[in-house]
């Protein structure tokens, strides 16, 4: 049932003003609702599994600030820890003990990480790891996968996912050819294509970088044998394997995709959850590779706010909360109930759909699928997705405003939240 109280008057006013002040009225493109259409929502506050807009509409939130809110928004223990940390100041620009604590937690959790460097975003982590893989191997070329998104640095804006996919943009103007001439691409889940690239570029490829579970082209899991195959191919060719676990790290398992699938890359990038909702990123990996990073070694990378005490504090508390037994089993259970439920409802109503979940990450495509890569994801009926998105929004369910973004649950989502979501989906899907 559409809530009669669904009004967006204040959102409209604020967004209209925002458009005169900021490009597209936003600080990051996808949230402008361009691909789904309709009035973007301007938010006021968050708590647990819920988010409220400036018109006081309440939504069950499956964006979770794009992943970090895995314990639920504004968890009281995170807020309390932040209050205490705030008393000591907001930035040191110098070493703090908090960095040791979070570094140790990350190293203990993530199989590939023996040393870690904190930065301020996933984009920054991926930029640094690119330089590092080139510095370590003395090679310039890299392989990335179509639809994978590794932040907005020039070298990665080739067949990129997330906002680039959402807006259907060609590779961005302003990126010189020289910046991307060493970026080779292959379809996700296509080992033969990767093999061919290695054969065509012998001794020239520094590394292969991927989201081990794609979240930036919608939700696309790896086929059986794909990650294993990449591990073998990179080793055979003297190249590094890099998992971009900005989304999957601490989400699909405490130790990320590498723990879940038992494949250990050489380097890993992280972000989102390890900052507990504050801006953060990190990259880490084998000690011999990380020792190349300045000031240990010659590969330069730096940041004024890196290791920020507030971000470290929120990250530490969030990881502590995730260590509670049953966390990932719970996430898996409720997210599976949601993903399976959406599929079942849509199929019963005769729609071509596919999708799934791994622990607290999920997705649904409006195509019969299965979807193994970005080309197949693009076959999804985007107009139908837009109508689905709007219908859900009007019923108090906030989904990512793009077919090409994964959904996220949190431990704060209850069975009742999932039931309410499925009830709303049944109404919306009937009317699509
Ligand atoms: N690139 C992020 C999602 N994959 C953030 C999008 C946004 O904040 O608009």
């Amino acid at each position: 049932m559409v809530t009669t109280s669904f009004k967006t008057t204040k959102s409209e006013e604020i967004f209209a003003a925002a458009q005169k002040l900021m490009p597209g009225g936003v600080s990051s493109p996808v949230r402008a609702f361009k691909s789904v259409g309709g009035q973007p929502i301007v938010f006021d506050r968050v708590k647990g599994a819920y988010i409220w807009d400036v018109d006081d509409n309440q939504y069950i939130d499956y964006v979770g600030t794009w992943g970090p809110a895995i314990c639920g928004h504004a968890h009281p223990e995170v807020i309390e820890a932040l209050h205490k940390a705030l008393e000591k100041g907001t930035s040191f620009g110098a070493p703090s003990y908090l960095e040791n604590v979070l570094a140790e937690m990350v190293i203990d959790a993530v199989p590939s990480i023996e040393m870690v460097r904190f930065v301020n975003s996933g984009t920054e982590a991926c930029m640094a790891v690119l330089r590092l893989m080139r510095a370590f191997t003395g090679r310039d070329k890299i392989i990335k996968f179509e639809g994978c998104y590794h932040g907005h640095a020039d070298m990665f804006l080739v067949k990129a996912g997330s906002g680039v996919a959402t807006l259907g943009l060609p590779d961005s103007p302003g990126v010189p050819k020289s910046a991307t001439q060493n970026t080779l691409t292959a379809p996700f889940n296509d080992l033969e294509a990767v093999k061919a690239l290695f054969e065509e570029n012998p001794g020239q490829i520094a590394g292969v970088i991927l989201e081990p579970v794609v979240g930036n082209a919608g939700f696309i899991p790896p086929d059986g044998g794909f990650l294993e195959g990449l591990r073998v191919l990179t080793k055979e060719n003297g190249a590094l394997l890099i998992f971009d676990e900005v989304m999957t790290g601490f989400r699909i398992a405490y130790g990320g995709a590498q723990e879940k699938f038992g494949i250990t890359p050489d380097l890993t990038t992280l972000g989102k959850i390890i900052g507990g909702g504050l801006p953060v990123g990190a990259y880490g990996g084998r000690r011999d590779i990380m020792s190349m990073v300045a000031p240990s070694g010659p590969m330069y990378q730096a940041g004024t706010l890196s290791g920020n005490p507030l971000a470290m504090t929120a990250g530490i508390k969030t990881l502590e909360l995730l260590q509670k037994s049953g966390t990932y089993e719970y996430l898996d259970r409720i997210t599976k109930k949601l993903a399976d439920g959406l599929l079942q409802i849509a199929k019963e109503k005769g729609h071509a759909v596919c999708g799934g979940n791994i622990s607290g990450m999920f997705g649904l495509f409006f195509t019969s699928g299965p979807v193994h890569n970005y080309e197949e994801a693009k076959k999804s009926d985007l107009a139908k997705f837009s109508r689905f998105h709007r219908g859900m929004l009007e019923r108090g369910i906030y989904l990512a405003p793009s077919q090409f973004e994964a959904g996220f649950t949190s431990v704060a989502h209850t069975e009742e939240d999932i039931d309410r979501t499925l009830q709303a989906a049944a109404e919306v899907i009937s009317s699509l």
Side-chain angles (χ1 to χ4, degrees), residues 266-278:
D266 301 294
L267 293 167
T268 298
T269 56
L270 295 167
K272 299 194 189 280
I273 288 173
I274 61 158
L278 275 85

Side-chain angles (χ1 to χ4, degrees), residues 115-129:
M115 286 185 110
V116 66
R117 164 64 58 89
F118 292 112
V119 292
N120 298 294
S121 69
T123 288
E124 222 187 294
C126 290
M127 280 166 68
V129 98

Side-chain angles (χ1 to χ4, degrees), residues 250-288:
F250 295 93
R251 174 158 287 280
I252 64 168
Y254 189 69
Q258 50 201 277
E259 178 197 311
K260 186 97 189 165
F261 296 107
I263 303 296
T264 305
D266 301 294
L267 293 167
T268 298
T269 56
L270 295 167
K272 299 194 189 280
I273 288 173
I274 61 158
L278 275 85
V280 92
Y283 62 102
R286 276 169 34 197
R287 184 173 294 274
D288 58 330

Side-chain angles (χ1 to χ4, degrees), residues 26-32 66 149 162-163 215-216 247 272 404-406:
V26 288
S27 299
S28 188
V30 181
R31 56 186 82 166
W66 302 98
Y149 181 72
S162 192
N216 283 290
M247 272 190 185
K272 299 194 189 280
F404 300 112
E405 297 282 355

